[in-house]
Amino acid sequence: MTRKILIVGPCAAESAAQMDAVARSMKDVLHGASAQFDVVLRAGLWKPRSQPSSFQGVGAEGLPWLIDAADHIGVPAATEVAQPEHLLAAYEAGIRHFWIGARTTSNPFMVESLAQVPIADKQSVTWYVKNPTSPDINLWCGAVERISRTGYKHICVIHRGFALGEHTTSVYRNAPMWSQAIGFRRCYPSFPLLTDASHIAGKAEHVSEIAERAMRMGMNGLMIEVHPDPQHALSDAGQQLTPAQLSDLLQRLAAIDTSAQTTQSAELTALRQQIDETDDELWALMSRRLDIARQIGDFKRRHGLPVLQQARYEEILQRRMNWAKEHGIDPEAAKQIMDIIHEQSVLQQV
Ligand code: PEP
Ligand code: MN
């Protein structure tokens, strides 16, 4: 079985005491994981936050905390770098694993300025390039190319989902759009591709389904945020796992048999993932539709209007049946689906 990579640890280093708690609470769990994974301890020191009032990270002060925690566990340390000063400070402190965050990958000037930093021993460094915030494979590939052409050999990429704002019905913080990750892999098959289940999920309860899906798809590893006390985390509190939850997740991952994956068609697996993702969206839309129906119900009640307005329904139905016909779908099947949806809407309204 080929070894996978697991980058794990808190969203951010917050204090010496918190990083000490990270080291103590995760040491045993991570030793257990070392049969399956090459483990790297993460903690953000410079945090690219959307709001200037949010916790911005402790900066270089946290370097020794992160390094001590990683030493205690016996794994390498990784942190996010967005500016040459970050990279220089972390490299001089002894860190050799760096990730480029989604917001930085989105900006070619910033990636180029990192690539140009004079690093003495480039072969000792491993880069992890996250996808840009928007689904743009060329931008992602361009960032990887900027790093690789300056002489770095160890480069991995991280799929962390895409910020689609209003344009997504995904239940996750970032829409996974697995097809983008697969598209990247098609261009650069030799770069290990990891999935950042935490930043896709956005909520601790969704992390394991994303991580398991990624492993089933044959991804080369995972990034998972874990905090000794997630509720009081200074950033991304909702999505960080406790060490105990990490331990459960790792057990589930160990049970996933990936040995058949090489013989099974990767394309079929990918298509099935897309079906699951589409169904997720379909059901999120369904629940949004029922929500609106409830609001319409309130309005009608307040204004003394009847719930059932047959002419309006006939018009909606006719429009959908025509659309179905134009798209090669049996209009009668479309009618049956609309009838069920309409019935549920009416029930919500009464
Ligand atoms: C992170 O990993 O802490 C982070 C900020 O992630 P992203 O760049 O994917 O948002
Ligand atoms: Mn985070």
Side-chain angles (χ1 to χ4, degrees):
M1 189 161 71
T2 52
R3 292 180 62 71
K4 308 263 180 188
I5 301 163
L6 175 65
I7 306 176
V8 65
C11 178
E14 299 167 0
S15 65
Q18 173 246 13
M19 287 308 290
D20 189 51
V22 164
R24 289 168 193 279
S25 61
M26 289 173 62
K27 185 172 181 169
D28 291 345
V29 182
L30 294 181
H31 277 187
S34 62
Q36 196 180 3
F37 294 100
D38 289 329
V39 177
V40 177
L41 182 71
R42 67 156 277 158
L45 299 169
W46 298 276
K47 299 299 301 171
R49 309 302 301 287
S50 306
Q51 302 299 326
S53 53
S54 311
F55 173 61
Q56 305 290 304
V58 296
E61 186 191 356
L63 284 165
W65 312 337
L66 168 58
I67 291 167
D68 287 351
D71 283 351
H72 180 84
I73 299 171
V75 296
T79 199
E80 172 167 352
V81 289
Q83 295 177 344
E85 306 86 270
H86 305 162
L87 175 57
L88 280 168
Y91 182 82
E92 272 159 27
I95 293 183
R96 292 294 179 267
H97 293 248
F98 306 105
W99 79 86
I100 298 182
R103 294 160 191 78
T104 307
T105 305
S106 304
N107 185 331
F109 287 126
M110 292 171 77
V111 177
E112 189 62 37
S113 68
L114 290 170
Q116 294 301 335
V117 172
I119 289 293
D121 183 6
K122 289 189 169 171
Q123 298 328 310
S124 67
V125 167
T126 303
W127 283 100
Y128 304 87
V129 182
K130 290 202 179 191
N131 66 253
T133 50
S134 56
D136 182 341
I137 293 183
N138 282 333
L139 196 54
W140 196 3
C141 294
V144 168
E145 198 179 322
R146 284 178 197 277
I147 297 292
S148 75
R149 70 177 184 169
T150 50
Y152 292 102
K153 293 276 180 292
H154 307 294
I155 302 175
C156 302
V157 292
I158 301 182
H159 161 228
R160 52 76 81 193
F162 301 88
L164 301 184
E166 298 285 293
H167 308 289
T168 180
T169 51
S170 174
V171 296
Y172 305 120
R173 174 181 178 183
N174 289 306
M177 303 183 77
W178 297 94
S179 53
Q180 293 283 315
I182 292 158
F184 181 94
R185 185 178 252 175
R186 221 173 266 141
C187 293
Y188 283 113
S190 66
F191 289 111
L193 172 58
L194 283 61
T195 293
D196 176 345
S198 301
H199 287 91
I200 288 177
K203 282 195 183 138
E205 73 206 65
H206 292 312
V207 170
S208 75
E209 69 208 42
I210 298 287
E212 287 176 51
R213 190 173 284 187
M215 286 296 98
R216 288 212 172 81
M217 286 183 80
M219 295 296 186
N220 306 103
L222 296 168
M223 177 177 264
I224 310 269
E225 285 188 340
V226 180
H227 191 286
D229 181 11
Q231 275 190 328
H232 296 104
L234 299 183
S235 57
D236 286 349
Q239 73 189 27
Q240 303 201 59
L241 301 186
T242 61
Q245 287 170 325
L246 173 69
S247 169
D248 285 352
L249 171 58
L250 290 171
Q251 271 171 28
R252 278 202 296 283
L253 296 180
I256 295 175
D257 179 10
T258 51
S259 57
Q261 267 170 6
T262 42
T263 50
Q264 209 184 56
S265 159
E267 199 143 347
L268 177 61
T269 315
L271 287 168
R272 285 183 174 152
Q273 298 297 345
Q274 285 180 48
I275 284 280
D276 287 350
E277 204 173 307
T278 308
D279 282 349
D280 286 347
E281 297 200 4
L282 199 57
W283 285 98
L285 271 177
M286 202 74 91
S287 105
R288 196 201 284 178
R289 192 187 194 283
L290 289 177
D291 240 25
I292 299 172
R294 274 190 288 272
Q295 291 175 41
I296 290 181
D298 282 347
F299 180 91
K300 286 178 180 166
R301 212 176 356 265
R302 282 201 309 277
H303 295 81
L305 296 168
V307 164
L308 208 53
Q309 296 190 339
Q310 199 58 35
R312 158 88 177 141
Y313 181 55
E314 293 301 334
E315 178 203 318
I316 293 178
L317 183 60
Q318 203 50 57
R319 195 170 348 128
R320 291 305 151 199
M321 288 173 73
N322 291 343
W323 185 92
K325 201 165 164 195
E326 278 165 26
H327 289 80
I329 298 170
D330 178 7
E332 194 45 43
K335 180 177 183 308
Q336 286 174 15
I337 294 169
M338 275 313 291
D339 281 345
I340 296 174
I341 293 175
H342 182 245
E343 185 187 350
Q344 290 305 313
S345 276
V346 169
L347 288 175
Q348 291 291 334
Q349 294 189 28
V350 297

